[in-house]
Amino acid sequence: MEDRIVTLAIHTSGKSQILKQVLEEHGIAVFLDNTDPEAIRVRIRENNIAKALFIIEEHGLFSYRDQQTYQLDDGRKRILVAVDFSSYSLNACRTAFNIARNLNAKVKILHVYNNARYSSTFPFADISIDEKDTRVLNKTRKQMLHLCCKIDEMISKGELPSINYSYSLREGLVVEDEIEDFILEYKPILLVLGTKGKDNNECHLLGNITADIIEITNIPVLAVPEGKLTEDISDSIHLAFLTNFPERDQQSFLTLYSSLGLKKNAKITLLHVNLMNKKGNKWSEADLQHMKEYILDQCQDLNIEYKLINSPDILKAVTTFIQDEQINVVAVNTQRRNVFTRILNPSVSRKLLSNSETALLVLRGS
């Protein structure tokens, strides 16, 4: 319906006023929903969407390539959630929104589409338009607007927190490269991705390349299987933190703490697996106790335990522990890997991703 009012974005007061002024100067009526003064919905008529996106691109509004964007920014932490409009994309958004509420952060929803006819990308709802063929772009816009309408509906029903969010569309042949480039511009503290889960054989794009994205980015990545982490992650989780390098992992745990907004109701287990057939010194419970004391000294409100397992197979030991203890999230600390290393020596995170229906949080060590 042409007169239907849709949400173009949710912004701070400053950004929403700028966007309203620019669009109205070009004859587009803008309706600001001020229900939440810190997360103002910028709404327009649906038949003005294409024109509005042209204007946003033409003016370069809110591009994170532009330093003025950071001057307009409210200084909040940023969370990026990448979607492919599959059944698990909404679940990834739900998780990102709940984390954003706990951190007083904002969310950017990103979709990368493949259209060889177009070669440039733009910020916000970043779209390159070719009058000869807009079929792919129109389909992508409709999918994103449908997702945003669903999110607004859930916010109205109280199923999602009302937070500052907007979306971006990026064209590219290699999804993971486009996501990595966007991360460099947007500077989020966390990337949230949806995954298919162990028994889902549908060939959705993000589900197939999540492991690649995890291994090329330098920020924490949370991969969420469909139907998981539907509640407030800070309160309801039992998180297993796989540790192997005490000093590096201690710092990584602090990153985990700041990235997820964990609260005292969350249960944390520090987990180490001693390989029985491996030579050299093995970890002792005293090592894990020391790490626990260090973390509690920095994060005093957490419920932390530790577990030491002796096993000939790390993956099997971890998988069994996940199942027995009903772990919601597994956190691993890993180094960024180049393409040759990824092919020749698959990481523990990739194996866990393909063998588990538990959410995986990948952190980056030094």
Side-chain angles (χ1 to χ4, degrees):
M1 297 177 62
E2 291 190 351
D3 288 332
R4 190 163 70 102
I5 304 298
V6 297
T7 298
L8 183 64
I10 297 181
H11 275 311
T12 59
S13 176
K15 284 187 176 181
S16 63
Q17 290 295 336
I18 291 173
L19 183 55
K20 181 176 186 294
Q21 179 181 343
V22 171
L23 293 179
E24 288 183 340
E25 286 175 354
H26 290 78
I28 295 178
V30 177
F31 312 92
L32 298 183
D33 183 343
N34 300 301
T35 304
D36 183 348
E38 294 186 354
I40 298 175
R41 289 186 178 88
V42 180
R43 297 171 62 82
I44 63 175
R45 290 189 172 87
E46 189 172 23
N47 64 338
N48 283 326
I49 283 290
K51 182 179 179 181
L53 296 177
F54 271 124
I55 296 167
I56 290 167
E57 176 264 312
E58 186 177 86
H59 286 75
L61 290 178
F62 313 139
S63 168
Y64 280 87
R65 292 190 179 101
D66 186 351
Q67 288 301 314
Q68 289 185 352
T69 297
Y70 291 99
Q71 296 175 6
L72 286 171
D73 198 85
D74 57 9
R76 292 184 185 180
K77 294 178 179 178
R78 306 181 188 97
I79 295 173
L80 178 64
V81 52
V83 301
D84 63 357
F85 308 125
S86 60
S87 58
Y88 42 84
S89 290
L90 183 60
N91 192 55
C93 290
R94 182 198 295 267
T95 301
F97 274 53
N98 284 330
I99 295 173
R101 171 181 54 192
N102 297 326
L103 296 175
N104 191 28
K106 65 181 74 175
V107 169
K108 177 78 75 174
I109 302 172
L110 173 68
H111 174 71
V112 178
Y113 65 94
N114 186 341
N115 186 359
R117 293 179 59 85
Y118 304 96
S119 59
S120 59
T121 58
F122 301 102
F124 191 67
D126 352 17
I127 294 178
S128 172
I129 301 290
D130 188 323
E131 293 294 341
K132 295 180 181 179
D133 184 6
T134 62
R135 182 176 58 86
V136 173
L137 295 176
N138 285 336
K139 179 182 178 181
T140 303
R141 285 195 213 106
K142 289 179 181 178
Q143 289 175 311
M144 180 61 79
L145 288 173
H146 177 76
L147 176 62
C148 291
C149 286
K150 181 63 177 178
I151 288 173
D152 288 342
E153 179 183 341
M154 294 175 70
I155 291 174
S156 298
K157 292 180 179 179
E159 298 172 3
L160 276 181
S162 178
I163 63 166
N164 185 317
Y165 88 93
S166 58
Y167 65 84
S168 286
L169 303 177
R170 299 291 287 259
E171 182 272 336
L173 295 176
V174 183
V175 175
E176 51 266 50
D177 289 347
E178 291 299 322
I179 291 176
E180 185 180 22
D181 288 345
F182 194 87
I183 286 172
L184 293 175
E185 298 170 20
Y186 188 58
K187 298 179 176 61
I189 63 164
L190 177 69
L191 169 64
V192 180
L193 301 168
T195 64
K196 293 184 293 185
K198 182 178 179 180
D199 299 322
N200 188 334
N201 294 317
E202 296 178 16
C203 295
H204 292 301
L205 190 57
L206 274 182
N208 291 331
I209 66 170
T210 298
D212 289 328
I213 296 172
I214 284 174
E215 292 188 352
I216 66 174
T217 184
N218 277 331
I219 65 169
V221 180
L222 179 63
V224 185
E226 185 175 10
K228 304 298 180 181
L229 299 184
T230 57
E231 304 300 328
D232 187 344
I233 188 173
S234 67
D235 282 330
S236 61
I237 67 168
H238 183 182
L239 184 146
F241 182 79
L242 275 60
T243 178
N244 200 41
F245 299 96
E247 293 183 3
R248 188 180 76 186
D249 287 350
Q250 287 170 0
Q251 296 303 315
S252 291
F253 188 92
L254 299 182
T255 300
L256 177 156
Y257 180 76
S258 62
S259 298
L260 297 185
L262 296 177
K263 298 179 182 179
K264 61 182 179 181
N265 291 337
K267 182 179 179 181
I268 314 296
T269 299
L270 305 176
L271 177 63
H272 176 77
V273 180
N274 279 329
L275 277 176
M276 295 172 60
N277 56 355
K278 183 179 180 180
K279 296 181 180 179
N281 296 328
K282 301 286 194 301
W283 273 47
S284 67
E285 290 199 8
D287 295 316
L288 285 169
Q289 176 65 28
H290 176 75
M291 184 174 178
K292 172 183 174 181
E293 291 172 353
Y294 173 85
I295 292 172
L296 285 176
D297 186 55
Q298 305 294 320
C299 314
Q300 299 177 6
D301 59 343
L302 291 183
N303 175 15
I304 299 182
E305 300 176 353
Y306 60 81
K307 179 69 174 180
L308 184 64
I309 300 175
N310 295 303
S311 173
D313 187 327
I314 291 180
L315 183 61
K316 183 177 180 180
V318 172
T319 302
T320 300
F321 182 81
I322 290 171
Q323 295 172 348
D324 291 346
E325 299 298 323
Q326 297 183 326
I327 300 297
N328 305 102
V329 182
V330 178
V332 295
N333 187 16
T334 184
Q335 293 179 316
R336 177 170 171 162
R337 305 161 67 87
N338 61 42
V339 64
F340 300 108
T341 306
R342 294 203 302 273
I343 293 172
L344 298 175
N345 185 24
S347 68
V348 172
S349 60
R350 181 181 288 270
K351 292 177 181 178
L352 284 172
L353 191 64
S354 62
N355 285 278
S356 175
E357 292 188 348
T358 303
L360 178 67
L361 176 66
V362 180
L363 306 161
R364 289 299 177 210
S366 56

